[in-house]
Amino acid sequence: MPNRTTKALALAAAAAAMLAMPSLAHTYLVDATPVAGANLAASPPEVVLNFTGELEPAFSNIVVTDEKDHVVDSGPSVATGKTMRVPLNPLKPGRYTVSWRAVSIDTHLSDGKYNFLVLP
């Protein structure tokens, strides 16, 4: 039969494991500007993505391309805290794809893409 010390150690280990869980979670996209599927009357000045966790700036990026897969952003993307952004050149009417790669500070990777449309 386990003694009190063994039970206390087991309980402490379980609590420590539960507290460590959030730091092992992946970072997920929370919201985006422009939003996925948006139909915009004018070219947006930038794409801004917000995530659930802190980003590793050196390994996180956004690339925006047109229908012919040409890059249309006007500079490198920048990740600060839980936000990543990239400035855009003025966009002509058409469909654009936002592709992102987010590496959290605990090195977990998540990535994705979505489209938006600039109307004529």
Side-chain angles (χ1 to χ4, degrees):
M1 180 170 193
N3 64 28
R4 286 186 188 188
T5 304
T6 304
K7 286 182 181 179
L9 288 173
L11 184 59
M18 288 174 41
L19 290 173
M21 291 280 197
S23 67
L24 299 175
H26 286 57
T27 296
Y28 295 102
L29 182 64
V30 175
D31 61 56
T33 305
V35 299
N39 292 316
L40 305 174
S43 174
E46 65 181 352
V47 170
V48 180
L49 306 179
N50 293 300
F51 294 86
T52 57
E54 297 284 322
L55 301 172
E56 176 55 60
F59 303 108
S60 301
N61 66 352
I62 305 169
V63 176
V64 183
T65 55
D66 63 14
E67 293 171 350
K68 295 180 181 178
D69 209 27
H70 295 120
V71 175
V72 296
D73 47 75
S74 65
S77 56
V78 176
T80 307
K82 297 179 180 181
T83 301
M84 194 169 14
R85 60 184 0 109
V86 66
L88 298 174
N89 290 312
L91 303 178
K92 297 177 182 177
R95 181 173 309 280
Y96 295 89
T97 301
V98 176
S99 302
W100 55 269
R101 173 184 173 100
V103 177
S104 61
I105 57 173
D106 63 0
T107 71
H108 286 103
L109 167 70
S110 61
D111 59 5
K113 60 174 66 175
Y114 70 90
N115 296 313
F116 67 90
L117 188 66
V118 176
L119 300 172

